[in-house]
Amino acid sequence: MANERESFPGEIAKIEIDESAAITVEQIDDEITVAIASVVGVHFQVTADQARELSRALAVAAENAAKFLESTET
């Protein structure tokens, strides 16, 4: 579950995947940092436009996954 904050600077959200992995989003001014933390961590910065595009893509994928699950429930 996401732990989200709308104020910044600092951590905006930390989404725990399981006991050993999480995704964090941090923002300071116009710099947005996404970190995928697990055994091997990955950090990258995105622009505001890229963050919106990523958000839209995740929303579409989540909606499609929910529709698929509904269609397979009998």
Side-chain angles (χ1 to χ4, degrees), residues 1 11 13-25 34-43:
M1 197 68 185
E11 186 175 286
K14 182 173 185 177
I15 304 155
E16 293 189 23
I17 306 301
D18 59 29
E19 306 83 43
S20 63
I23 299 171
T24 60
V25 177
V34 178
I36 303 170
S38 64
V39 176
V40 177
V42 177
H43 300 270

Side-chain angles (χ1 to χ4, degrees), residues 5-73:
R5 292 181 28 194
E6 292 194 19
S7 62
F8 64 91
E11 186 175 286
I12 301 296
K14 182 173 185 177
I15 304 155
E16 293 189 23
I17 306 301
D18 59 29
E19 306 83 43
S20 63
I23 299 171
T24 60
V25 177
E26 297 178 346
Q27 180 181 4
I28 298 175
D29 298 327
D30 67 337
E31 291 184 4
I32 301 165
T33 301
V34 178
I36 303 170
S38 64
V39 176
V40 177
V42 177
H43 300 270
F44 55 94
Q45 290 185 334
V46 296
T47 65
D49 287 339
Q50 290 169 326
R52 280 191 284 274
E53 187 175 348
L54 176 59
S55 176
R56 287 184 196 116
L58 289 171
V60 168
E63 192 64 32
N64 290 343
K67 288 177 184 176
F68 174 79
L69 288 174
E70 287 175 7
S71 72
T72 60
E73 292 177 355

